[in-house]
Amino acid sequence: MKKILLLSLFALLFSLNVNSQIYIGPKAGLSFSNLTGNLGYYLANTDQPFIENGYNGFSLGLDFQYVLNESSSLVTDILYTNKGGLFETPDPTKRILEYQLNYIEIPILYKYDFDLDYLIVYTNIGPYLSFLAGGTGKRYGASWDTRTNDIKKFFDESDKQPYSNIDVGLCLGAGASYEIGPGNAFAEMRYNIGLIDVAKDSEDSFYKNIGKNRVFNIFLGYRFYLDVAKD
C-alpha cells in the first residue's frame, strides 16, 4: 500500500506540465474525532457497551495544489494529525479508556472551484492514507490499575489487541479562498471517513473492536504561487 501511494505521487509529480500553476503553503487547524467502535463491557459478563465520546486535537502540515484548468485542481497534503476517542462505562463508578492516535496523513483530492469574482468557493473529494506515528493509550477509574502508555505499547501489552499501523478512508470537504498578495488565504472544512478498524478482537482482550476513525477538521492556511515555468 505504501509503495503504491508513493509511486502514484511520484508519477503525478513527474507528469506535471512545467508551465502549469502550482501552489504550496502551510495549513493548520482543529480536529474533532471519534471512534465508531463496538467495545464490550470490561468485565465481559454483560452486553452493556462502553459509551463513546469524542477527542479534540489539532492538525498541521503543507498543502500542494496543481491547477488542471480554470475550475479544477488536484490537491494533496502532508499532515500531522490527531485522531482518537474516549470510552467510559455507564455505571456510577466509571472505567475510562482514552485513545490518542497521531498520524502522518496524505490525502489526494479532486478540487472544484466556483468563482464568485471576489471569492472562490470550492469542494473537494478523494481518498486518504494515514500512517500511525504514535500517541497514547490510557485506562483509569474504579478498580482499574491506571495505565498510560505509548499507543502501540498499550495495544501490545495492556489490551493485547492486534492493531493497524495505517488508516485508509474517504475525505469530503468544502472551503473558500481569497487572493491576498502572492497567493491566497483559505478556510476549509473536511470530514474523514475511515475504513479500517483501529484495533480488533483478541482472545486475550476483554474488548471488542475499537472501530474506525471519524474526523471533522477545520483548517486555515495560505497557498503561495510557485513559479515553475521555463523560458
Side-chain angles (χ1 to χ4, degrees):
M1 180 69 75
K2 295 180 183 179
K3 291 181 179 179
I4 292 174
L5 179 68
L6 291 174
L7 288 173
S8 298
L9 288 175
F10 281 124
L12 175 63
L13 290 174
F14 282 116
S15 68
L16 298 181
N17 186 323
V18 294
N19 293 312
S20 299
Q21 288 183 306
I22 298 175
Y23 292 84
I24 182 173
K27 68 191 309 179
L30 301 176
S31 61
F32 306 94
S33 63
N34 58 56
L35 293 163
T36 62
N38 179 24
L39 272 73
Y41 196 68
Y42 173 73
L43 296 178
N45 58 5
T46 177
D47 292 329
Q48 187 177 32
F50 279 78
I51 298 172
E52 201 278 337
N53 290 308
Y55 176 82
N56 299 333
F58 68 92
S59 299
L60 58 88
L62 281 176
D63 177 283
F64 303 87
Q65 176 177 328
Y66 168 59
V67 178
L68 299 172
N69 54 50
E70 290 183 357
S71 57
S72 300
S73 303
L74 290 179
V75 174
T76 186
D77 302 327
I78 300 177
L79 292 171
Y80 178 84
T81 184
N82 297 148
K83 304 181 184 183
L86 184 147
F87 299 86
E88 60 184 24
T89 57
D91 54 80
T93 56
K94 294 183 183 300
R95 296 179 175 89
I96 299 174
L97 292 167
E98 183 178 334
Y99 301 97
Q100 176 194 334
L101 308 166
N102 301 328
Y103 289 92
I104 302 298
E105 185 165 292
I106 304 174
I108 301 177
L109 309 176
Y110 173 75
K111 175 174 172 281
Y112 190 85
D113 295 340
F114 301 89
D115 192 346
L116 305 181
D117 293 332
Y118 60 92
L119 186 72
I120 293 178
V121 176
Y122 61 86
T123 60
N124 50 38
I125 184 172
Y128 73 83
L129 174 62
S130 298
F131 304 95
L132 184 62
T136 56
K138 300 179 183 179
R139 67 178 227 182
Y140 50 92
S143 59
W144 269 358
D145 55 318
T146 300
R147 295 184 185 179
T148 301
N149 292 108
D150 172 85
I151 190 64
K152 297 183 179 182
K153 185 176 181 182
F154 188 87
F155 283 134
D156 285 337
E157 298 181 5
S158 298
D159 284 4
K160 296 179 178 152
Q161 285 187 286
Y163 62 92
S164 176
N165 280 307
I166 66 170
D167 182 31
V168 175
L170 178 66
C171 179
L172 307 170
S177 63
Y178 183 78
E179 186 174 346
I180 301 176
N184 54 77
F186 65 92
E188 184 175 289
M189 298 180 295
R190 287 184 185 174
Y191 185 65
N192 284 4
I193 304 170
L195 302 177
I196 296 179
D197 288 327
V198 172
K200 297 184 178 180
D201 300 352
S202 169
E203 293 181 359
D204 298 322
S205 173
F206 288 103
Y207 316 130
K208 298 181 181 179
N209 64 299
I210 294 178
K212 303 171 179 62
N213 284 302
R214 297 289 185 268
V215 186
F216 178 72
N217 287 305
I218 300 175
F219 289 108
L220 295 176
Y222 189 88
R223 297 185 181 106
F224 297 91
Y225 173 62
L226 184 63
D227 187 358
V228 295
K230 294 183 178 180
D231 295 332

